Amino acid sequence: NINSFKKIMEPSLKQMADALSKFKILSPLEIIEIDGFKALKFVSQFDMPFGEDESYTIRSWTYAIQAGKHFYQINFSDMENEDNEKIYAQLITQIKLKKQL
């Protein structure tokens, strides 16, 4: 059930906030559909260290697709000076999943 799956995923967002610098949710966890499968999506942003004195602000689109007892996770990321949101939206609609017997 997708609502139970969502409740299971919600604590992992808290864990990400604890582990990643300046983590914030840009688009909350929502139920969507990918190739006929129920899935979860959220968009986040965080800083990733690079070297000793530098860091990059990363935006990440996370998709978790329920598949029986397992799930597939797909992530797309860009940096703050890029804008790949339209490309990622197109890519996710092109994913084809095989139904399990």
Side-chain angles (χ1 to χ4, degrees), residues 22-34:
K22 297 184 182 176
F23 180 84
K24 64 182 174 180
I25 300 293
L26 301 178
S27 173
L29 191 61
E30 65 179 315
I31 298 170
I32 63 168
E33 194 169 296
I34 298 174

Side-chain angles (χ1 to χ4, degrees), residues 11-24 45-49:
S12 69
L13 297 180
K14 171 75 171 104
Q15 291 174 340
M16 292 174 77
D18 292 342
L20 298 169
S21 176
K22 297 184 182 176
F23 180 84
K24 64 182 174 180
Q45 179 175 297
F46 54 90
D47 284 355
M48 180 176 287

Side-chain angles (χ1 to χ4, degrees), residues 7 12-13 15 34 37 48-49 73 76 85 94-95:
K7 286 181 183 177
S12 69
L13 297 180
Q15 291 174 340
I34 298 174
F37 287 80
M48 180 176 287
Q73 183 168 314
F76 300 116
E85 185 170 7
Q94 295 176 24
I95 291 176

